[in-house]
Amino acid sequence: YRSGESISNEMIKQSQTYKRYKFHFTDSLVNGSMKAYRDLITHMAAHNRSAENKISWGGQFIVRSAKQMIPNDFELASKSGCDNLCWGVESGSEPVRNHMQKQFTNADLDYCMEQMSKVGMHCYFFMIIGYPTETDKDFQDSLDMFTRYQKYAIEGTLYGVNLGALASLDDGTPLYKNSVELGLTPIVPAEHAHGLNWQSKSNPVSIEKRILRRIMIQEHCIKLKYTVWNADMHLKRIKASYEKIKNETY
């Protein structure tokens, strides 16, 4: 990790040199190291208190517990200009997230959303629908999460949702590397389960049902007044992949 002070110094220097006051981090997690994170927000908050042009910034954020991030961490982050954070929530189901090795509970997520709302910060969610271990109960947990968080969508704290184009086995990912051990096999003949061309022996949910879940959660979110990013584009990608599979040309 770089120290928070070195990052804040660079942001301040760049803003003064190029007259740009919005920054977005696209690698790693802004709060991956809590020491570096607290260092950063402390220095940026001090800068913004007296700066004529305040700096704002955001990036990828990991949900943490109340023990790991106290309310003051959110208050100071807001004063530092931290906003527009991307959260890889992926699922409303704890068992699904545990399989992904996401290290936070639904209670942790509830806590972080409440703190974000209190200090006026904003975030958006990335989701993965149709994960290999996702059961009907797991999917319902995701629907219930969005129902529970509708208030945050209406007030603007949760200002966008990216539902993606279904769980995909992509080169280099843990699911792809461990597909044989996880019992994931191709739907149509192929050297390796890849993309959407996969089925699970231990959780035999058809690709048609996975697609239906993806459509259902999009309709659910839109009904609840969420902004769903690139919604129809993702559905078109799913449709194209599905047609290749059914025509055995995947």
Side-chain angles (χ1 to χ4, degrees), residues 114-131:
E114 180 183 3
Q115 296 302 314
M116 292 282 288
S117 177
K118 284 183 177 179
V119 301
M121 290 170 63
H122 306 88
C123 64
Y124 55 98
F125 286 4
F126 275 102
M127 300 291 293
I128 297 176
I129 310 302
Y131 191 75

Side-chain angles (χ1 to χ4, degrees), residues 142-154:
S142 291
L143 293 174
D144 292 344
M145 177 188 71
F146 283 118
T147 300
R148 191 168 70 253
Y149 288 169
Q150 184 189 27
K151 60 183 179 180
Y152 297 124
I154 292 174

Side-chain angles (χ1 to χ4, degrees), residues 19 128 249:
K19 312 305 178 186
I128 297 176
T249 59

Side-chain angles (χ1 to χ4, degrees), residues 46-90:
H47 169 80
N48 279 344
R49 274 197 294 270
S50 58
E52 181 179 353
N53 296 294
K54 298 185 187 304
I55 291 174
S56 63
W57 58 280
Q60 286 88 7
F61 178 94
I62 186 170
V63 175
R64 291 192 178 276
S65 70
K67 290 183 178 180
Q68 295 171 317
M69 288 189 69
I70 62 176
N72 186 61
D73 289 323
F74 291 90
E75 294 170 9
L76 197 58
S78 178
K79 293 175 182 177
S80 78
C82 181
D83 204 4
N84 301 326
L85 294 170
C86 167
W87 295 16
V89 173
E90 320 305 2

